[in-house]
Amino acid sequence: MATYNKRGYKAPKPEQEKEENEFDQFSQVDASNSKTAEVFDTLDQGANKMEGWVARNQKVIFGVVGAIALATLGYVGYDKFVVEPKNEDAANEMFQAQSYYNEAMTNTVASDSLYKLALNGGEGKLGFLGIINTYKGTKSANLAHYYAGTTYLNQSKFKEAIQQLEQFKANDIVLGALSLGAIGDAFSELGQNKEALEYYKKAADYNKNDFTAPRFLNKAGLVALELGQKEEALKFFNEIKNNYRTSPEFQSVEGLIGLAQ
């Protein structure tokens, strides 16, 4: 039987037919039943809803963003142009009051008058109390609470000392312990040994350094002995003996251990 070709017709090659068939398989997939298509449809719907919400609320959005930006700029500006200059002025005032205080610590003859100057000011400068009232919120005002408290303590004004020291917020490991210990001293002078013991324990635990820890462990032990709490006192003295051998308190701790046993 004779065969013929139509004009312009070329028989497909086997490989070409295979590729076309494979392509046809994918082209015939029903997109309406595809899970992937459903996901994309959902995403499209969500995106459209979001775009609509943004369009309807763009004034509110811009307002919130603007408010945050203004608040940030306001905070930075306040800190730079208000807080920093105020801290600097307070520090300048503080210098003279600290000078009176330091001199009073070494000059026992004129200590009373020097402590008064430290508290109330002199030579055109504020004292600790004036700095507290004038520069509230500054670092110097906070530190002035510590100095005012210990000044009152040295003047035997123990209630005033406690009031000032309790307002001091320590950022220094040594001053933090010293302020708590000073409150303990004030309570001890007032005859309130239970309160004194609690503050000495807090001072000793505040930071385990070789300067403040043995000092207030020793005071805690002595007050515990006065309260008849020998077992508690022995614990404090033994801690000095075992952990603070280079401290001045170590030199007398054996005798105190004997009293507590």
Side-chain angles (χ1 to χ4, degrees):
M1 183 176 181
T3 59
Y4 64 93
N5 292 327
K6 287 186 178 180
R7 185 178 297 175
Y9 173 81
K10 291 184 180 179
K13 295 180 180 179
E15 291 183 0
Q16 187 175 352
E17 288 180 351
K18 183 179 180 181
E19 290 176 359
E20 289 177 354
N21 290 336
E22 290 177 353
F23 178 78
D24 288 343
Q25 290 175 1
F26 288 106
S27 66
Q28 292 172 4
V29 174
D30 187 356
S32 64
N33 294 324
S34 170
K35 293 294 182 181
T36 305
E38 290 178 8
V39 171
F40 279 111
D41 286 343
T42 302
L43 291 175
D44 287 341
Q45 292 173 8
N48 290 335
K49 290 180 180 179
M50 179 60 70
E51 289 172 2
W53 183 86
V54 170
R56 291 191 303 272
N57 297 279
Q58 58 181 335
K59 289 184 179 180
V60 175
I61 294 169
F62 291 147
V64 171
V65 172
I68 293 171
L70 286 173
T72 302
L73 290 173
Y75 175 79
V76 172
Y78 179 80
D79 191 59
K80 180 150 185 81
F81 298 110
V82 178
V83 175
E84 287 184 12
K86 195 174 181 181
N87 273 318
E88 187 175 346
D89 291 344
N92 290 334
E93 292 285 345
M94 189 81 162
F95 178 79
Q96 186 60 57
Q98 284 177 308
S99 297
Y100 291 133
Y101 179 92
N102 292 335
E103 190 176 350
M105 295 288 284
T106 56
N107 188 343
T108 55
V109 176
S111 62
D112 286 343
S113 60
L114 288 168
Y115 279 133
K116 287 178 182 178
L117 288 170
L119 277 174
N120 302 309
E123 299 182 36
K125 295 290 185 180
L126 295 173
F128 297 131
L129 298 179
I131 292 167
I132 290 168
N133 293 327
T134 306
Y135 296 101
K136 292 179 181 179
T138 64
K139 295 177 182 178
S140 294
N142 178 51
L143 188 57
H145 281 299
Y146 171 79
Y147 280 113
T150 52
T151 297
Y152 280 131
L153 186 61
N154 287 314
Q155 291 180 319
S156 299
K157 296 179 180 179
F158 305 119
K159 291 181 180 179
E160 292 88 340
I162 293 168
Q163 183 182 27
Q164 290 295 329
L165 289 164
E166 285 181 336
Q167 296 180 71
F168 173 60
K169 302 294 185 290
N171 294 315
D172 179 272
I173 59 174
V174 174
L175 284 184
L178 290 176
S179 64
L180 292 168
I183 295 174
D185 290 341
F187 275 122
S188 179
E189 293 291 344
L190 289 169
Q192 297 178 234
N193 284 337
K194 288 184 179 179
E195 290 82 359
L197 178 58
E198 287 304 310
Y199 274 95
Y200 286 145
K201 288 163 64 175
K202 288 179 182 179
D205 291 338
Y206 189 84
N207 184 267
K208 297 295 186 179
N209 63 76
D210 292 338
F211 170 57
T212 60
R215 177 178 179 179
F216 294 117
L217 284 169
N218 190 70
K219 289 191 175 188
L222 292 172
V223 171
L225 282 177
E226 289 186 26
L227 290 169
Q229 300 176 12
K230 288 190 173 184
E231 187 176 342
E232 186 85 347
L234 186 60
K235 181 181 70 173
F236 299 134
F237 297 141
N238 276 328
E239 187 173 346
I240 295 171
K241 178 182 177 180
N242 296 329
N243 300 324
Y244 301 102
R245 293 178 176 274
T246 60
S247 68
E249 290 75 19
F250 179 79
Q251 306 305 318
S252 58
V253 77
E254 287 290 353
L256 294 172
I257 289 173
L259 289 174
Q261 287 176 334

